[in-house]
């Protein structure tokens, strides 16, 4: 509770790191419990873990012990070893994130994307899923089975995609930014 040091009693997500520490996402910040005390992280922190917003809607940990925070408007990558973060705010309307290979797969109103990660480099591969030359409406959920088939929920049905079925086209951050700006009618 807030009496114990949490940023809010409105807890939205919880995950445990490999070191045993508990990370708690609330509607008013991120919290780390080391077994003895709670450390709070807020939007606007100058050092260490920086957040896009105080809303911790969803937290997952990948196989590299990286914490991924979905606040619905930004994906935040948090190194649990270094207690540092990187904001990936080029996504719109994030719905769901799920562990995927060395990172995460996420659904948003703009499509399905994979964010692959190594300990030192962050490589983002934008891969909107398109079928029959049309983008499926909004994707809301994503889950992988033991065979690494991907199941997506959308506004029209559940889609099953085999591992080999994901498009392999990769766009750079600059290209994605340009595409986003030209859709708004802004050109450079």
């Amino acid at each position: 509770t807030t009496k114990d040091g949490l940023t809010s009693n409105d807890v939205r997500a919880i995950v445990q790191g490999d070191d045993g520490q508990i990370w708690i996402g609330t509607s008013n910040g991120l919290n780390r419990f080391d077994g003895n005390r709670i450390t709070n992280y807020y939007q606007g922190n100058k050092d260490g873990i920086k957040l896009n917003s105080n809303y911790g809607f969803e937290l997952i940990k990948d196989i590299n012990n990286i914490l991924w925070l979905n606040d619905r408007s930004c994906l935040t990558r948090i190194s649990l070893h270094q207690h540092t973060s990187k904001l990936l705010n080029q996504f719109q309307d994030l719905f769901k994130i799920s562990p995927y290979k060395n990172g995460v797969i996420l659904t948003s109103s703009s499509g399905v994307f994979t964010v692959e990660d190594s300990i030192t480099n962050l490589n983002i591969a934008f891969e909107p899923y398109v079928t029959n030359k049309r983008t499926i409406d909004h994707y809301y959920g994503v889950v992988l089975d033991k065979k690494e088939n991907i199941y997506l929920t959308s506004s029209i049905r559940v889609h099953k995609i085999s591992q080999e079925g994901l498009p392999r086209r990769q766009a750079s951050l600059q290209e994605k930014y340009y595409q986003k700006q030209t859709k708004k009618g802004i050109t450079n």
Side-chain angles (χ1 to χ4, degrees), residues 174-186:
Q174 294 80 13
E175 181 181 357
K176 189 66 179 176
Y177 176 79
Y178 178 76
Q179 291 170 354
K180 186 176 174 182
Q181 295 306 313
T182 53
K183 282 182 184 177
K184 292 180 181 177
I186 302 169

Side-chain angles (χ1 to χ4, degrees), residues 98-158:
S98 187
Y100 177 74
K101 293 187 177 182
N102 290 323
V104 294
I105 186 167
L106 61 94
T107 60
S108 75
S109 62
S110 348
V112 178
F113 304 94
T114 60
V115 182
E116 293 189 29
D117 186 79
S118 70
I119 299 303
T120 55
N121 295 317
L122 188 64
N123 300 308
I124 301 172
F126 292 91
E127 298 176 337
Y129 178 66
V130 177
T131 181
N132 297 330
K133 298 189 179 185
R134 73 177 183 90
T135 301
I136 296 173
D137 301 54
H138 300 321
Y139 294 102
Y140 297 108
V142 61
V143 68
L144 277 70
D145 67 15
K146 291 180 181 180
K147 295 180 183 177
E148 295 192 356
N149 293 306
I150 300 165
Y151 293 86
L152 302 168
T153 62
S154 77
S155 56
I156 55 176
R157 66 184 176 136
V158 175

Side-chain angles (χ1 to χ4, degrees), residues 59-123:
L59 289 169
I60 65 161
K61 181 183 66 74
D62 71 16
I63 62 172
N64 293 318
N65 203 37
I66 300 295
L67 186 69
W68 298 89
L69 170 68
N70 170 6
D71 71 10
R72 292 292 186 136
S73 64
C74 179
L75 182 65
T76 304
R77 175 201 183 273
I78 301 169
S79 168
L80 297 182
H81 298 293
Q82 301 169 340
H83 290 188
T84 58
S85 63
K86 180 171 179 81
L87 302 177
L88 306 170
N89 57 6
Q90 61 274 4
F91 305 106
Q92 295 177 349
D93 302 324
L94 288 176
F95 296 124
K96 185 74 177 161
I97 56 177
S98 187
Y100 177 74
K101 293 187 177 182
N102 290 323
V104 294
I105 186 167
L106 61 94
T107 60
S108 75
S109 62
S110 348
V112 178
F113 304 94
T114 60
V115 182
E116 293 189 29
D117 186 79
S118 70
I119 299 303
T120 55
N121 295 317
L122 188 64
N123 300 308

